[in-house]
Amino acid sequence: QTATAAGAQARQAGSTARNASGRVDQLNTTVNGLDSYNQVVEVEVVFRGGQPVLSADSRKRLDDLAAKVTGQPGYILEVEAHSPVAGSAGIQNSERFVQVVERYLVTQHDIPVYRLHAVALGNARGAGDEEQDKPVRTSSVRIRLMENSLAAQEATSPQGVASLTGAERP
């Protein structure tokens, strides 16, 4: 009887260890996905005449982008501004364009400031820009909607990420 009880306890311990190992693997997947973002969409806003004023078309583009993120978790907006002006004047110009776009998204669409990550590049091109060898000819801001892989997983799973971590949702 003692040997049978010990065997049953050993089987139960083995089952508990397998479950724990599975949860550790799931937790590792979750942790690895914390800083993994995928581009969902890119919007370009052009500033005519180098003036930091949003046109009706630009506002419509930003409105459409904001509609995609309303109520969504796990996203950031990369805001990259360019100006054809060289040097520090170009950086200052592109900074003004960034501020106009950010102000619009925050005030008109309640986009939290912590979701906006901006850089004013002046007439420099980004490292991943396919037109890197061409000079900047227009004043513009590119906004990239980046979605966290965990948020995408949560959106497709009824239990969400909580099921991966073993945490319970309120």
Side-chain angles (χ1 to χ4, degrees), residues 130-148:
E130 64 260 3
E131 299 177 354
Q132 192 171 6
D133 296 334
K134 296 180 184 177
V136 174
R137 297 200 187 278
T138 60
S139 299
S140 65
V141 175
R142 287 187 185 155
I143 306 100
R144 292 179 193 90
L145 170 57
M146 307 295 287
E147 181 181 65
N148 184 277

Side-chain angles (χ1 to χ4, degrees), residues 56-149:
D57 179 59
S58 296
R59 287 191 301 275
K60 169 87 171 87
R61 289 173 183 243
L62 293 173
D63 294 342
D64 292 345
L65 176 67
K68 291 180 185 195
V69 301
T70 301
Q72 296 298 317
Y75 72 89
I76 59 172
L77 295 173
E78 291 182 349
V79 182
E80 178 183 300
H82 297 275
S83 170
V85 179
S88 63
I91 293 171
Q92 290 172 353
N93 282 347
S94 57
E95 181 62 38
R96 286 198 312 264
F97 303 140
V98 163
Q99 290 172 355
V100 168
V101 169
E102 287 182 329
R103 186 176 308 115
Y104 185 81
L105 291 171
V106 169
T107 61
Q108 299 302 311
H109 295 288
D110 297 323
I111 303 290
V113 176
Y114 67 87
R115 299 239 183 239
L116 300 168
H117 299 272
V119 62
L121 293 174
N123 68 347
R125 294 281 187 174
D129 198 335
E130 64 260 3
E131 299 177 354
Q132 192 171 6
D133 296 334
K134 296 180 184 177
V136 174
R137 297 200 187 278
T138 60
S139 299
S140 65
V141 175
R142 287 187 185 155
I143 306 100
R144 292 179 193 90
L145 170 57
M146 307 295 287
E147 181 181 65
N148 184 277
S149 61

